[in-house]
Amino acid sequence: GNSVTQMEGPVTLSEEAFLTINCTYTATGYPSLFWYVQYPGEGLQLLLKATKADDKGSNKGFEATYRKETTSFHLEKGSVQVSDSAVYFCALKLSGGSNYKLTFGKGTLLTVNP
Amino acid sequence: EPEVTQTPSHQVTQMGQEVILRCVPISNHLYFYWYRQILGQKVEFLVSFYNNEISEKSEIFDDQFSVERPDGSNFTLKIRSTKLEDSAMYFCASRGLTGGEQYFGPGTRLTVT
């Protein structure tokens, strides 16, 4: 079946450190890939996405590249800020159809200290 | 900016009781979803709803669960007889006709004792 595996947390970094959160997937067909972020007390927000192999999604300094050969979509940021503290979820959506249900990973809690 | 809202933020109930979780999707959206996350586990798809009917449901969504859009604004998830293992965070989401982005609410934490 379809699944997403992401790095276990929690991850604790100092401000301006480099961030990587690993995400790999298993899917039939050609999925679209997403990173969602959940700030304390808020809903899941789409952070970035990529819809085909070699696409790079980027937003707010975060980037992730869709790697079909390694079935990965790792999230990176060069210099994290305290305001980036949140839970990050990797997710996939299969292409085709109209339902658009998402398959998520467990989430990774990131804490950035000043 | 329009947003999805959910009430209550936290619900505590006894095993065997019925609960209704409420969601107000974004007003011009047409597709609605429920997901849940048991503590420490993955966010799991429960059900999708379009045109006043269920379009897809997971194996988790058994006869104890039902969804309804009772009026033009609310979207509810009912659990008829709660079990301890129903304790989880429940997320509602909605999306428009065009584009695939789902907008999520902040979640309702359900605790079954």
Side-chain angles (χ1 to χ4, degrees):
Chain A
N2 306 310
S3 67
V4 174
T5 302
Q6 64 181 100
M7 190 168 126
E8 294 281 336
V11 173
T12 303
L13 296 173
S14 298
E15 209 164 20
E16 298 184 3
F18 184 85
L19 168 71
T20 299
I21 301 177
N22 290 338
C23 172
T24 57
Y25 67 89
T26 303
T28 54
Y30 301 98
S32 296
L33 301 172
F34 304 84
W35 277 100
Y36 279 81
V37 58
Q38 185 180 30
Y39 299 104
E42 299 183 18
L44 298 167
Q45 300 174 24
L46 180 64
L47 178 61
L48 54 85
K49 67 179 182 182
T51 57
K52 61 184 187 298
D54 300 324
D55 269 3
K56 178 186 282 188
S58 61
N59 186 23
K60 299 181 181 179
F62 290 89
E63 292 183 341
T65 301
Y66 188 140
R67 302 281 187 205
K68 188 180 169 191
E69 63 276 12
T70 53
T71 62
S72 65
F73 193 56
H74 304 321
L75 183 69
E76 296 182 336
K77 186 174 186 182
S79 176
V80 293
Q81 305 300 311
V82 172
S83 56
D84 294 326
S85 297
V87 181
Y88 292 82
F89 294 89
C90 187
L92 69 80
K93 173 180 75 69
L94 292 180
S95 60
S98 61
N99 193 33
Y100 290 94
K101 73 174 184 184
L102 293 166
T103 299
F104 285 92
K106 281 191 181 182
T108 302
L109 173 63
L110 170 67
T111 302
V112 180
N113 295 317
Chain B
E1 186 176 333
E3 59 182 14
V4 177
T5 59
Q6 291 185 242
T7 54
S9 57
H10 190 192
Q11 173 90 48
V12 181
T13 190
Q14 290 189 326
M15 197 166 53
Q17 296 296 304
E18 175 183 286
V19 293
I20 298 176
L21 309 184
R22 290 185 165 79
C23 169
V24 179
I26 293 173
S27 63
N28 61 347
H29 282 185
L30 298 175
Y31 293 83
F32 313 109
Y33 305 82
W34 284 101
Y35 294 82
R36 78 171 186 191
Q37 185 181 31
I38 295 171
L39 189 63
Q41 298 186 26
K42 298 184 178 187
V43 176
E44 302 170 292
F45 168 78
L46 291 179
V47 67
S48 59
F49 191 86
Y50 170 70
N51 200 26
N52 284 320
E53 61 183 23
I54 290 173
S55 50
E56 186 173 351
K57 59 184 181 179
S58 72
E59 63 275 9
I60 302 167
F61 195 89
D62 61 21
D63 291 344
Q64 292 299 312
F65 291 88
S66 62
V67 289
E68 194 177 30
R69 189 152 163 81
D71 52 41
S73 60
N74 289 282
F75 179 52
T76 62
L77 174 69
K78 182 193 291 186
I79 309 174
R80 290 190 182 81
S81 179
T82 51
K83 307 183 190 70
L84 294 176
E85 55 264 37
D86 294 327
S87 295
M89 181 73 88
Y90 288 80
F91 293 104
C92 172
S94 69
R95 74 173 177 92
L97 185 59
T98 56
E101 180 177 352
Q102 294 179 29
Y103 291 82
F104 284 80
T108 292
R109 179 164 297 286
L110 176 65
T111 302
V112 182
T113 61

